[in-house]
Every structure is written in C-alpha cells, then in structure tokens.
Amino acid sequence: MKAEREKSLLGLDIQELTELVEGSGEPAYRGRQLFQAIYGERLQSPEQISTLPQNFRRSLLDQGYSVGLPTIEKRFVSSDGTVRYLIAFGDTESVETVWMPEGDYGEAGDGTEAGDEEEKQWQRATICVSSQVGCAVGCEFCLTALLGVKRNLTAGEIVGQVIAVLNDQQAFPGRARLNLVFMGMGEPLLNYDNFMKAVRLLVEGVGIPESRMTVSTAGIVPRIYDLGKEAVRPKLAISLNAPNDELRSRVMPLNHKWNVQALLAAAREFPLRSRERLTFEYVLLNGVNDSAENAKEVLELVRGMRAKVNLIALNPGPGIDFSTPDEERVLAFQQVLMRGGVPAFIRKPRGRDIYAACGQLKRTSS
Ligand code: SAH
Ligand code: SF4
C-alpha cells in the first residue's frame, strides 16, 4: 500500500516532475506538461495526458505511476446545499472534506451578495479541507479531537481532496469564485511542510489564488512566525476561543504550551499584506466563555489590530460537554465587540444536519 502512495504523481512539484521525466529520458518541458495535466486539467490517469507521447504515457504506467487521486467514498448532502465528502486514501485512512456552495467561510463581511439563480449555484463556493487524519490537539469542544491523530496527510492527499471535490462538482477556478479554508480535520500547522507544499501546488497548479485561502490554527506559535515568512501563504485565522489563560487552558489544553500572551504577540507581529486582515475565531460555549464580560476581555485583546472576529456558536455533538448559547447571547457578545470598534461576524452553521459543521468532522459514516 505504501508503495502505491509513493508512486503517486499528485503531490510532486514542478521540479520533482521535471526530474522524473528527465530520468525517463524525456525533455524537461514534459515536466511542465505533466504539472499542467495533473493540477490544471485535473486528469485522472497518465493515459489521459494527451500532450505526452504515447510511449511515455505507457512507460509511466509500466513504472507504476498513477495520478493518485483519492476516492470519494461517501457523500452526504445537507438541506442547505452543503456536501460532506468522506475521502479515502490508498492505505484505507480517510478524512472529510466539505463543499459549501455560496460559502461564507473566510468571506464574512466582504459585503457581496451572491445571486440566487440556479446557474449561479456555485459561482461562489468554499471547500473546507483537512490536513491530518484526526487531531492531536485535544480541544474540549471539538469532535475531531476525540479521534486522536492517526497520521499527517501528504501534500498530494491535501491537494487531492480539493481536486476530487472540484471534479465531482465540475467546478473550475476560472469560472467560479472558489475559496479554500484549511479548517477541516487536523491542525494544519502541525503538518507544516506538507501543508505548505499543498498550498503552493494549489496556487501554482490548480489556480486558486492565495488570497482566497485561509488557514486556521489552534495557535502553534512557532509555526505562526514561520508562516509569516512564507512568500506564498494563505490568510491566517487563529482559534482564540477564550479571552484569558484560565479559561483557555480549560477548553484548549495547548494553551499550557503557548498561552494567550504568546499567541497574541505572534498575531501582532504577523506581517499582513495590504488589505489583509487577521481573523480570530471564537467558539461560544454557553455559560463558559460567552458573557458580556468575556466579550470585553476579547475586545481588549484585539483592539487596535487589523483583525476581525468570527463568532461560532458551538455545534454540538455526542461526547461534547458544552451547550450552544441562544441567539440573544451570541448577538450580545457581537454587540460588545462591534461597539468597541472590532468587526465581528456570526458564522452561520453549514450542514449541521449532516455533521459537516465546524468541529463536527469525525468521519460519521451514516
Ligand atoms: N485545527 C484548526 C482548524 C480546524 S478546526 C483549529 O483549531 O483552528 C476549525 C474551527 O472550528 C476552529 O476555529 C475551531 O475552534 C472550531 N470548532 C471546533 N469545534 C467546534 C464546535 N464543536 N463547534 C463550533 N466550532 C468548532
Ligand atoms: Fe484539533 Fe482544531 Fe479540533 Fe482543536 S479545534 S481538536 S486543533 S481540529
């Protein structure tokens, strides 16, 4: 099984593909043709790559190469149009990837309204991408945490999720406004190198601009500094989720390692591009972190930063010992931030009925 994954073309960058073709005695420009066929045209087998000569296609197959796209094992369609995909890899591990037509993740507050005609259905969509099988971080309110971490995804597996979903939806970056949010299963910054390679392949190969991508982290502080130094990178969202160390350590054990002060220092030093804002995510847990007092604390933390706050009322699930605040409390929390001059948006849950919403990804297979 391992050998199969090692022979995947998906995940190789232009240099690696060029080395591969040269190793087979082909001219270097064939590397670019392969790159374009795999990531741009999203072909599924070397046989389909008509820009390559027949004998080279055959030689790739003889050497055991495949494109290596993951397979869509299951699809769950929500009443709101969200689709939760169960996507399987060569070793039988699987993750979830979520398609949200007219998605508002990462786009909240940009003021645009999508039309509602049929053909516009996915002129705008967001794909929520996983970075690990499970997650090791152990946040108390998150269903993915209950799985523990099985393994990191390879760059090819991260890109593969996006390509599998785009192919299934027949969506093309040139024709639709596609956003990617790395907010699925796992902590992307704990799989940093594979994640960043995937980002570059998605930008350069698949054609999704980095400005349409957002990575969410629970707060792996050293990697936030690394991310800030990258030439090509997504926008940054930080899962704050609590306004002080006492509360944050209670709901996010990783706060013992990197506390609120360290996290906010990294956030303040993060080099934003022009017109870019940081996002702070804040999951509201009824009676735990959602009081007006807590909102004032958040305000003090983020005031003066070029940042917005996305509020997420807890999406409940089995084994999660918190409850969802009612709308009034959520609105009151938002008001405190807004009045203090911090843009705050309430993220509406997508696909809660099919366990596709934030924090609900746990490979529910029915
Ligand atoms: N590991 C990364 C990205 C995946 S989680 C991170 O934690 O940021 C994506 C978002 O979902 C995070 O902001 C997280 O705080 C939020 N989340 C987790 N569990 C949730 C739940 N049960 N309800 C609502 N949001 C949740
Ligand atoms: Fe992992 Fe993010 Fe869930 Fe925390 S919220 S357990 S970091 S996936």
Side-chain angles (χ1 to χ4, degrees), residues 126-195:
T126 299
I127 302 175
C128 181
V129 184
S130 292
S131 55
Q132 297 181 303
V133 182
C135 186
V137 177
C139 304
E140 300 287 346
F141 43 81
C142 174
L143 283 179
T144 307
L146 300 175
L147 297 171
V149 69
K150 288 268 185 63
R151 66 170 175 85
N152 281 334
L153 296 187
T154 63
E157 288 168 336
I158 297 172
V159 178
Q161 291 168 66
V162 177
I163 293 185
V165 170
L166 290 178
N167 286 350
D168 190 60
Q169 296 288 340
Q170 301 183 339
F172 291 89
R175 284 187 239 150
R177 183 164 140 165
L178 295 165
N179 301 296
L180 298 184
V181 294
F182 299 95
M183 299 185 184
M185 294 169 79
E187 167 50 53
L189 299 194
L190 288 181
N191 183 16
Y192 189 85
D193 292 341
N194 292 342
F195 164 69

Side-chain angles (χ1 to χ4, degrees), residues 5-56:
R5 285 221 308 281
E6 280 169 2
K7 285 287 198 180
S8 289
L9 296 170
L10 203 65
L12 301 184
D13 61 23
I14 191 105
Q15 269 145 315
E16 291 164 324
L17 288 171
T18 305
E19 281 162 28
L20 188 156
V21 301
E22 287 182 331
S24 303
E26 293 286 330
Y29 72 87
R30 298 257 179 247
R32 180 154 286 283
Q33 287 177 323
L34 254 180
F35 188 80
Q36 170 59 17
I38 295 165
Y39 301 105
E41 294 174 59
R42 304 181 333 226
L43 300 178
Q44 305 189 16
S45 152
E47 285 157 82
Q48 298 173 329
I49 309 178
S50 56
T51 45
L52 301 179
Q54 268 293 355
N55 57 356
F56 181 46

Side-chain angles (χ1 to χ4, degrees), residues 84 139-147 314-324 352-366:
R84 176 167 65 93
C139 304
E140 300 287 346
F141 43 81
C142 174
L143 283 179
T144 307
L146 300 175
L147 297 171
L314 176 80
N315 292 310
I320 300 299
D321 288 335
F322 298 102
S323 62
T324 311
R352 248 196 216 175
D353 55 340
I354 54 159
Y355 274 92
C358 287
Q360 292 191 309
L361 301 184
K362 63 167 185 86
R363 300 193 289 176
T364 311
S365 57
S366 55

Side-chain angles (χ1 to χ4, degrees), residues 198-210:
V199 165
R200 290 187 292 271
L201 293 171
L202 286 161
V203 172
E204 293 155 19
V206 180
I208 301 174
E210 57 186 319

Side-chain angles (χ1 to χ4, degrees), residues 70-113:
T71 48
I72 294 175
E73 213 157 65
K74 286 204 171 117
R75 240 181 229 96
F76 306 89
V77 183
S78 162
S79 53
D80 67 15
T82 300
V83 185
R84 176 167 65 93
Y85 290 93
L86 198 62
I87 294 193
F89 304 110
D91 64 350
T92 73
E93 289 295 353
S94 58
V95 294
E96 308 198 331
T97 312
V98 183
W99 166 263
M100 293 167 284
E102 311 295 350
D104 60 359
Y105 271 38
E107 289 294 314
D110 69 357
T112 53
E113 278 296 326

